[in-house]
């Protein structure tokens, strides 16, 4: 059986318009009113892409441990950046940061993901549901914010969603085309983001769930022939999946170091080091590139130790403990992503999702759950649980992969639109308008978006921080503000715990600063204020006794200060 995606010219027109709106929100929020500066991670991911193109990812990882999670998909950023600059020479003369146009690679992938969100929702629940899912995607501030930066998060979300879509298509409709695409997209997902490795248990759960009735029936009836055929088909699919995935990973890393024996690796994580203790594995040649296996090891090492991740922060508390034996140790919050979802996802979207679950419950007897909804709910639940047990709790972007599944799932609420009563229709329309208003209220600062549960936006830092709020993306706004406000003092501690002071974009020494006249404003990063990127004691006096009077692009906070604050600012330095 083949799926049919034909729909009217009017619907095609609407689809194009919505996608153009999405691209407009992504692109204009990059250029208006000031281009956002590259955040803390974008330069790293861009350079990682360059290393992939050179075929030196493993070499780079050996030189710098922080480059041990290089993924081949990052190569798209420098490729798109150079392509744009070659096709449009004028772009080289714009006053933009180097690597800026690499962001368009993420925008392109995000548009492709938007199309798949529409397609899957339309196939499940109809064309109107397809448009609702697309609108939820297009107007989600977290999607927009992560669709215009140079990172792996959106790549991971897109590749995971598309892989599971084709796995569903293969199981549901068969055909060689879906078979090949389900295998290829699984492999491609593995070179986009390390979290794609969890597709393995997801595929197993979904596959068993999809065929559970046939399996039980064959066992009960002792139908040996059917059982043998099922096992043969499964073995064929698994072998094809493994071989094609290894080939894709090798191509992605230019076969660099493929075939090295397991015992020759210098692993960091205890889990991978344990594998090397078994003689049977130690001399085993691994037919995948060195950089990929080291990336898996590095990811596991970060889970075990919290190394390389920012300190978790939630509701005014930093996530760490002082162990009597191990000393300082990062400790996550089990409820982190639950709270993050509650505050960072638009309220209208959350209501749509809850309506989807109510609809699921009301129509539970008519559902073919393991044939349809399971492919949306199982990945969402599994990824949410896995990420919540991880110490890498620095932003909602770590659960970005669940968003497309939730949008498709929520769209089921308009399946019977013609039969719905007027109040229900009005509710859907009002919620959609509310989503649009909430979105535009943060334009163009979508990374820092919080929903209306945060009444005073200056106080968002008391709920969440890091890449939820301050990812270093607004340095250009800071420079512009300091230039226009000579009475403002920017204060920051660097990595060496050294105090840096800036007035009118010029570094100054403490003796050059007068808090009597004209300096009366203090500007500080949200992450510095709460102690994520510096000693939390440095600004305890400020966050415990003062409230900001204003904010700058949400990630910088502005306080009123006086000469009495001189001791607090300079006294210990």
């Amino acid at each position: 059986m083949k799926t049919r995606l034909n729909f009217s010219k009017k619907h095609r027109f609407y689809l194009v318009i919505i996608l153009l709106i999405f691209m407009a929100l992504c692109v204009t929020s990059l250029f208006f009113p000031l281009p956002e500066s590259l955040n803390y991670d974008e330069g790293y991911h861009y350079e990682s892409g360059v290393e992939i193109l050179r075929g030196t990812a493993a070499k780079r990882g050996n030189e710098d441990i922080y480059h041990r999670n290089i993924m081949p998909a990052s190569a798209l950023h420098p490729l798109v950046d150079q392509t744009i600059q070659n096709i449009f020479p004028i772009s080289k003369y714009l006053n933009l940061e180097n690597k800026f146009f690499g962001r368009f690679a993420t925008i392109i992938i995000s548009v492709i993901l938007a199309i798949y969100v529409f397609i899957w929702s339309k196939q499940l629940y109809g064309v109107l549901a397809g448009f609702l899912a697309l609108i939820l995607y297009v107007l989600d501030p977290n999607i927009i914010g992560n669709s215009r930066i140079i990172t792996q998060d959106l790549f991971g979300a897109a590749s995971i969603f598309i892989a599971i879509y084709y796995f569903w298509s293969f199981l549901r409709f068969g055909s060689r085309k879906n078979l090949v695409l389900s295998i290829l997209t699984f492999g491609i997902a593995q070179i986009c983001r390390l979290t794609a490795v969890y597709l393995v248990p997801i595929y197993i759960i979904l596959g068993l769930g999809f065929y559970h009735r046939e399996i039980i029936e064959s066992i009960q009836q002792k139908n040996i022939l059917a059982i043998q055929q099922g096992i043969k088909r499964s073995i064929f699919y698994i072998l094809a999946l493994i071989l094609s995935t290894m080939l894709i990973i090798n191509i992605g890393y230019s076969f660099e170091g493929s075939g090295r024996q397991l015992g020759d690796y210098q692993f960091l994580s205890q889990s991978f080091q344990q594998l090397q203790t078994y003689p049977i594995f130690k001399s085993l040649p691994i037919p995948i590139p060195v950089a990929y296996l080291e990336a898996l090891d590095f990811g596991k090492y970060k889970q075990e130790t919290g190394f390389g991740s920012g300190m978790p922060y939630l509701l005014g508390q930093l996530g760490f403990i002082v162990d009597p034996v191990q000393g300082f140790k990062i400790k996550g919050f089990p409820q982190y992503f639950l709270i993050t979802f509650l505050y960072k996802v638009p309220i209208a979207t959350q209501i749509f999702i809850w309506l989807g679950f109510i609809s699921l419950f009301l129509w539970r007897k008519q559902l073919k759950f393991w044939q349809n909804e399971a492919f949306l709910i199982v990945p969402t639940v599994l990824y949410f649980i896995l990420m919540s047990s991880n110490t890498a709790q620095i932003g909602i972007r770590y659960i970005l992969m669940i968003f497309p599944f939730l949008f498709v799932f929520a769209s089921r609420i308009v399946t019977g639109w013609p039969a719905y009563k007027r109040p229900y229709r009005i509710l859907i329309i009002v919620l959609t308008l509310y989503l649009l208003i909430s979105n535009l209220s943060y334009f163009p600062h979508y990374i820092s978006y919080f929903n209306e549960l945060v009444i005073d936006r200056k106080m968002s830092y008391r709920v969440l921080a890091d890449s939820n709020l301050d990812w270093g993306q607004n340095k250009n706004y800071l420079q512009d503000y300091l230039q226009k406000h000579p009475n403002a003092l920017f204060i920051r501690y660097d990595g060496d715990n050294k105090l840096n002071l800036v007035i009118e974009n010029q570094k100054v020494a403490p003796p050059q600063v007068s808090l009597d006249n004209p300096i009366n404003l203090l500007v500080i990063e949200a992450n510095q204020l709460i102690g994520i990127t510096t000693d939390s004691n440095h600004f305890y006096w400020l966050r415990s006794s003062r409230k900001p009077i204003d904010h700058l692009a949400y990630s910088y906070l502005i306080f009123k200060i006086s000469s009495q604050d001189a001791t607090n600012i300079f006294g210990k330095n």
Side-chain angles (χ1 to χ4, degrees):
M1 178 180 177
K2 293 185 178 180
T3 59
R4 300 183 64 182
L5 298 175
N6 296 327
F7 49 101
S8 68
K9 291 182 179 180
K10 181 177 70 173
H11 290 149
R12 291 195 193 104
F13 175 76
Y14 291 153
L15 177 61
V16 171
I17 292 298
I18 293 175
L19 290 175
L20 287 176
I21 291 173
F22 176 63
M23 291 191 69
L25 285 172
C26 289
V27 175
T28 56
S29 60
L30 278 177
F31 289 92
F32 177 87
L34 282 171
E36 288 188 349
S37 54
L38 298 180
N39 65 40
Y40 299 137
D41 295 343
E42 288 185 273
Y44 158 76
H45 287 292
Y46 188 98
E47 294 302 325
S48 296
V50 174
E51 297 295 341
I52 289 293
L53 294 175
R54 292 173 178 168
T56 56
K59 180 181 178 182
R60 179 61 171 159
N62 291 331
E63 294 172 351
D64 184 353
I65 189 175
Y66 287 98
H67 280 77
R68 282 202 173 185
N69 61 345
I70 294 178
M71 301 303 291
S74 298
L76 289 174
H77 297 298
L79 281 174
V80 171
D81 179 45
Q82 293 303 312
T83 300
I84 291 176
Q85 294 192 49
N86 290 334
I87 295 177
F88 304 103
I90 191 175
S91 63
K92 298 179 181 180
Y93 302 101
L94 297 176
N95 185 26
L96 299 171
E97 286 195 60
N98 189 26
K99 311 179 182 70
F100 182 85
F101 286 103
R103 290 174 163 180
F104 281 80
T106 317
I107 295 177
I108 293 169
I109 298 300
S110 190
V111 171
I112 293 172
L113 175 55
I115 294 171
Y116 274 94
V117 166
F118 172 82
I119 290 174
W120 199 353
S121 180
K122 178 183 179 296
Q123 287 183 247
L124 285 172
Y125 309 120
V127 67
L128 190 59
F131 281 113
L132 177 58
L134 183 60
I135 289 171
L136 294 178
Y137 182 94
V138 165
L139 295 182
D140 189 274
N142 301 291
I143 292 293
I144 298 174
N146 285 278
S147 292
R148 53 185 196 168
I149 54 178
I150 304 173
T151 59
Q152 300 172 353
D153 302 300
L154 200 285
F155 284 6
S159 61
I160 289 169
F161 181 82
I162 294 172
I164 293 179
Y165 165 74
Y166 278 116
F167 186 58
W168 170 79
S169 296
F170 170 61
L171 295 182
R172 193 83 165 82
F173 308 113
S175 85
R176 291 182 180 178
K177 175 185 174 183
N178 287 328
L179 168 64
V180 172
L181 288 174
S182 70
I183 291 173
L184 290 179
T185 52
F186 177 91
I188 292 171
Q190 306 309 312
I191 61 173
C192 289
R193 189 143 174 81
L194 289 175
T195 47
V197 73
Y198 295 124
L199 286 176
V200 174
I202 289 174
Y203 273 34
I204 293 173
I205 294 171
L206 293 176
L208 291 174
F210 189 89
Y211 289 113
H212 76 282
R213 293 185 186 276
E214 290 85 345
I215 294 172
I216 293 173
E217 185 178 327
S218 297
I219 293 174
Q220 289 177 342
Q221 297 178 359
K222 298 180 180 180
N223 191 337
I224 305 301
L225 181 61
I227 294 173
Q228 289 177 341
Q229 290 177 344
I231 293 174
K232 287 180 181 179
R233 286 196 298 267
S234 299
I235 292 174
F236 169 78
Y237 186 82
I238 292 170
L239 288 176
L241 197 71
I242 292 173
L243 293 175
S244 64
T245 299
M246 286 195 301
L247 179 61
I248 290 171
I249 293 174
N250 271 285
I251 293 173
Y253 286 100
S254 302
F255 292 86
E256 185 188 12
S258 186
R260 178 184 294 184
Q261 292 184 352
L262 190 67
D264 295 334
Y265 282 84
Q266 299 294 322
F267 289 131
L268 300 172
S269 68
Q270 292 182 358
S271 301
F272 278 77
Q273 288 175 358
Q274 184 66 29
L275 287 176
Q276 292 178 311
T277 62
Y278 299 103
I280 190 173
F281 292 138
K282 194 170 184 180
S283 58
L284 186 69
I286 308 299
I288 58 175
V290 169
Y292 182 74
L293 195 58
E294 288 185 338
L296 291 175
D297 167 61
F298 186 62
K300 188 63 179 176
Y301 178 68
K302 290 172 68 175
Q303 286 184 354
E304 293 174 352
T305 64
F307 176 85
S309 298
M311 192 182 304
Y313 172 83
L314 181 66
L315 299 176
Q317 299 294 319
L318 291 170
F320 70 92
I321 58 174
V322 180
D323 188 274
V325 178
Q326 298 178 340
F328 178 86
K329 185 179 180 181
I330 290 179
K331 185 178 184 298
F333 302 94
Q335 73 276 26
Y336 178 86
F337 285 111
L338 185 64
I339 301 297
T340 302
F341 193 91
L342 180 65
Y343 279 94
K344 290 283 289 180
V345 175
I347 292 175
T349 300
Q350 295 186 47
I351 295 174
F352 278 129
I353 293 169
W354 279 112
L355 288 175
F357 278 107
I358 293 173
S359 170
L360 186 73
F361 175 78
L362 293 177
W363 293 91
R364 63 190 182 280
K365 293 182 179 180
Q366 288 79 22
L367 290 177
K368 294 181 179 179
F369 179 80
W370 284 105
Q371 279 68 44
N372 294 317
E373 279 74 20
F375 288 79
L376 304 175
I377 295 176
V378 169
T380 298
V381 172
L382 186 60
Y383 270 113
F384 193 88
I385 293 173
L386 289 169
M387 294 301 104
S388 296
S389 62
N390 201 326
T391 55
Q393 299 176 347
I394 58 177
I396 197 169
R397 61 193 179 93
Y398 276 80
I399 58 168
L400 200 67
M401 76 288 286
I402 75 173
F403 279 53
F405 296 101
L406 289 173
F407 297 150
V408 174
F409 174 76
S411 71
R412 62 176 286 111
I413 65 174
V414 296
T415 303
W417 183 264
Y420 290 153
K421 294 182 179 180
R422 187 178 180 184
Y424 186 77
R425 292 188 181 189
I426 292 175
L427 173 64
I428 301 299
I429 294 171
V430 169
L431 286 174
T432 304
L433 291 175
Y434 175 30
L435 175 60
L436 174 63
I437 293 170
S438 183
N439 173 296
L440 294 178
S441 72
Y442 266 85
F443 178 90
H445 308 294
Y446 291 117
I447 289 292
S448 303
Y449 174 86
F450 282 77
N451 63 35
E452 289 68 36
L453 291 178
V454 176
I455 299 174
D456 186 351
R457 295 182 178 183
K458 300 190 302 293
M459 309 306 293
S460 298
Y461 72 93
R462 290 190 172 180
V463 181
L464 295 161
D466 212 302
S467 61
N468 290 308
L469 179 66
D470 174 16
W471 205 357
Q473 75 274 17
N474 292 317
K475 292 188 289 291
N476 289 345
Y477 291 90
L478 174 65
Q479 294 173 5
D480 184 66
Y481 181 86
L482 293 177
Q483 193 66 43
K484 294 178 181 178
H485 295 80
N487 62 326
L489 169 69
F490 174 64
I491 182 170
R492 189 183 196 281
Y493 284 86
D494 60 22
D496 297 325
N497 212 28
K498 180 182 178 182
L499 179 65
N500 289 289
L501 304 172
V502 179
I503 299 176
E504 294 187 84
N505 292 321
Q506 299 293 323
K507 285 188 176 182
V508 295
Q512 297 176 274
V513 180
S514 171
L515 299 186
D516 292 312
N517 186 34
I519 301 300
N520 58 12
L521 295 176
L522 187 69
V523 184
I524 183 172
E525 299 170 12
N527 288 342
Q528 287 266 309
L529 178 65
I530 60 182
I532 288 181
T533 55
T534 188
D535 189 326
S536 60
N537 294 318
H538 284 321
F539 297 109
Y540 175 78
W541 66 274
L542 187 61
R543 66 177 182 270
S544 62
S545 61
R546 306 291 177 84
K547 289 185 177 181
I549 62 170
D550 202 356
H551 66 82
L552 179 59
Y554 302 104
S555 56
Y556 293 96
L557 302 171
I558 302 171
F559 292 84
K560 189 82 171 179
I561 57 175
S562 65
S563 58
Q564 296 177 352
D565 296 310
T567 302
N568 287 321
I569 297 174
F570 311 120
K572 298 179 182 180
N573 299 281

